[in-house]
Amino acid sequence: MDWQAILSSLPSLGNGMAATLKLCAIAAFCSLFWGTLMATALMRAPPFWQRILRIYTSLTLALPLLIVIYLLYFVLPEYDITFTSPQVGVLALTLYYAPYIAQVIRSAVEALPRGQWEACRVLGLSRTEQLRDVVLPQTLPQMLSPLVGLMIGLIKDSALLSIVSVQEFMYAAKQAISDTYAPLEIYLTVALCYWVLNSLIDWLARHIEFRMTRYRRGMQH
């Protein structure tokens, strides 16, 4: 094991990891925002727009992320639509993961018993009060695990963006390998970093879910 190669590559790998975290944070926020809008539209929009969104969702579910990246980076410039590499990265991850998020949100909301919606109307609760006091407390614990799984998938899939020269973690790893000629050491370091990061996110999500569902366990005793 060439420890010197690892030590000499740590600064560039650290910069790459920082770039990955920034890019994934932006993509996660955008995909959550777009996914929430999609879920709302799938439940409340006119039938025409619902059909459009379902077509978009079916295409996303059928295509690999790599195809989406290539379409944005190589095909759109042929039609004078050009994005920078980081913009392609954020846009590709957002377009790809938003439909999955929309399905998670829609399924959780539609799983609420119809009687609860009728009770909200009888009590005269506004939309904001329904969302704050009835919907979110019951749906967030159900949505948390699948949403965290999607976010972990988003982080892992961000490694594909090195193909189009997005200077993220895997791009930095490739540069480090070309400098040190130590692929085993560099890739093991990268794998360990991804494992630590995603394990930390998973642990944090479990901790939040545990705190959010304490009232249920209290009712069982």
Side-chain angles (χ1 to χ4, degrees):
M1 185 69 73
D2 189 352
W3 296 104
Q4 184 59 40
I6 296 174
L7 292 175
S8 63
S9 302
L10 284 180
S12 61
L13 291 177
N15 291 333
M17 174 57 79
T20 289
L21 292 175
K22 180 180 178 180
L23 185 146
C24 288
I26 296 172
F29 174 81
C30 292
S31 59
L32 284 169
F33 178 75
W34 177 226
T36 302
L37 291 180
M38 283 186 62
T40 304
L42 286 168
M43 292 183 289
R44 308 188 65 85
F48 172 77
W49 293 110
Q50 291 187 22
R51 285 195 292 270
I52 295 296
L53 289 174
R54 288 194 181 99
I55 292 172
Y56 163 47
T57 299
S58 64
L59 286 173
T60 303
L61 297 178
L63 293 177
L65 176 59
L66 191 58
I67 298 297
V68 179
I69 296 171
Y70 282 165
L71 288 173
L72 293 174
Y73 193 77
F74 295 112
V75 177
L76 287 186
E78 298 291 331
Y79 300 92
D80 297 324
I81 303 174
T82 305
F83 299 101
T84 64
S85 293
Q87 289 172 341
V88 166
V90 171
L91 188 58
L93 292 172
T94 299
L95 292 175
Y96 192 77
Y97 275 91
Y100 291 94
I101 293 171
Q103 294 302 317
V104 170
I105 296 173
R106 183 181 63 84
S107 298
V109 172
E110 291 183 347
L112 284 176
R114 184 176 298 273
Q116 297 200 24
W117 297 106
E118 295 173 353
C120 289
R121 287 193 292 269
V122 170
L123 293 172
L125 297 180
S126 66
R127 286 290 179 185
T128 301
E129 290 171 332
Q130 291 179 33
L131 183 66
R132 182 191 63 204
D133 299 330
V134 179
V135 178
L136 288 180
Q138 297 183 75
T139 58
L140 277 179
Q142 299 177 29
M143 292 189 293
L144 189 59
S145 291
L147 287 178
V148 169
L150 289 172
M151 292 302 101
I152 289 175
L154 185 150
I155 292 172
K156 293 190 293 185
D157 281 345
S158 69
L160 292 172
L161 301 177
S162 63
I163 297 172
V164 292
S165 300
V166 178
Q167 297 184 14
E168 43 73 65
F169 198 27
M170 280 302 298
Y171 184 90
K174 293 177 181 178
Q175 293 294 109
I177 290 171
S178 66
D179 293 336
T180 62
Y181 299 99
L184 175 63
E185 290 81 356
I186 299 301
Y187 281 136
L188 283 177
T189 303
V190 169
L192 179 62
C193 290
Y194 274 119
W195 176 73
V196 170
L197 174 62
N198 290 325
S199 296
L200 180 62
I201 293 173
D202 182 63
W203 174 84
L204 182 61
R206 291 177 184 275
H207 179 69
I208 294 173
E209 185 178 12
F210 178 82
R211 293 179 64 87
M212 292 174 66
T213 56
R214 282 185 302 180
Y215 74 96
R216 295 181 182 176
R217 292 187 297 274
M219 293 173 62
Q220 294 173 354
H221 292 291

